[in-house]
Amino acid sequence: MIIGLTGGIASGKSTVSAMLKERGYPVIDADIIAREAVDPGQEAYEKIVQAFGEEILHEDKSIDRKKLGSVIFNDKAKRQILNEIVHPAVRKEMKRQAHEYKESGYQTVIMDIPLLIESNLLHMVDKVLLVYVPRSLQLERLMKRDGSQREEAESRIASQLPIDEKKSYADAIIYNEGTIEKTEQQLDALLVQLGASK
């Protein structure tokens, strides 16, 4: 079984991901794979340089994420081009890792995908586990975490599907506004409910 772990920005998904690792579940992290997919020498890297030019590179030829981010941030067409390069590479690697874990005998694999719903990746998972906090708490945590201004934090939250809308896609929800212990208790109960076994 593949469980897709998702949430909203600053909802505590990384905390839950770490708890799952502690419990011995293999976790495939989409963000890490996306970063590695654009390393020099990777196919996606070559395509990005072809599409956006060498001005988005650091001296050492690695991709300057800030520069690339500023190029695509306000340009939907360019963002689309980047996504069409990166997403297939990430999906392919996630499938490869999941297959490897299954071959090694794991019964349950966790795919940690922040934009699981927004990126139409529901077909890659059997169950969806959502880490939920109310939007007001999301905003407060994001501002505290990144030291960002309200406006900046608001626009980052707005770039994702509203967390309340994500609930309808979830097979199980962790309400993460309480203590770490409460979150752990919910996680353990939900893993049983979802039929997750190692």
Side-chain angles (χ1 to χ4, degrees), residues 125-169:
V125 302
D126 302 310
K127 301 277 183 192
V128 175
L129 175 58
L130 174 69
V131 182
Y132 175 88
V133 293
R135 194 177 181 286
S136 55
L137 187 57
Q138 214 183 352
L139 184 63
E140 190 185 304
R141 284 186 182 172
L142 184 59
M143 286 164 64
K144 198 191 290 176
R145 186 185 82 187
D146 297 352
S148 53
Q149 297 303 313
R150 182 178 209 72
E151 222 166 277
E152 190 188 332
E154 292 260 14
S155 82
R156 286 185 65 195
I157 291 171
S159 73
Q160 297 185 349
L161 185 70
I163 196 156
D164 285 296
E165 281 181 41
K166 291 187 179 188
K167 281 178 159 180
S168 63
Y169 295 90

Side-chain angles (χ1 to χ4, degrees), residues 13-14 28-38 65 86 90 94 111-115 160:
K13 185 184 58 58
S14 302
I28 300 171
D29 188 322
D31 280 351
I32 291 173
I33 292 174
R35 279 199 292 276
E36 290 170 352
V38 299
R65 290 170 187 285
V86 177
V90 172
M94 290 186 83
M111 284 192 176
D112 179 342
I113 312 176
L115 300 177
Q160 297 185 349

Side-chain angles (χ1 to χ4, degrees), residues 2 28-35 37 44 80 82-99 111-113 115-125:
I2 295 179
I28 300 171
D29 188 322
D31 280 351
I32 291 173
I33 292 174
R35 279 199 292 276
Q80 182 80 23
L82 182 66
N83 288 342
E84 281 169 10
I85 295 169
V86 177
H87 289 173
V90 172
R91 282 197 295 270
K92 188 173 158 191
E93 177 58 18
M94 290 186 83
K95 282 180 179 161
R96 190 196 66 74
Q97 286 187 23
H99 180 72
M111 284 192 176
D112 179 342
I113 312 176
L115 300 177
L116 176 67
I117 299 156
E118 292 90 335
S119 301
N120 296 321
L121 295 178
L122 291 165
H123 64 276
M124 286 184 65
V125 302

Side-chain angles (χ1 to χ4, degrees), residues 3-22:
I3 297 176
L5 174 67
T6 196
I9 192 166
S11 62
K13 185 184 58 58
S14 302
T15 304
V16 173
S17 182
M19 289 174 184
L20 284 158
K21 283 181 197 151
E22 277 166 21

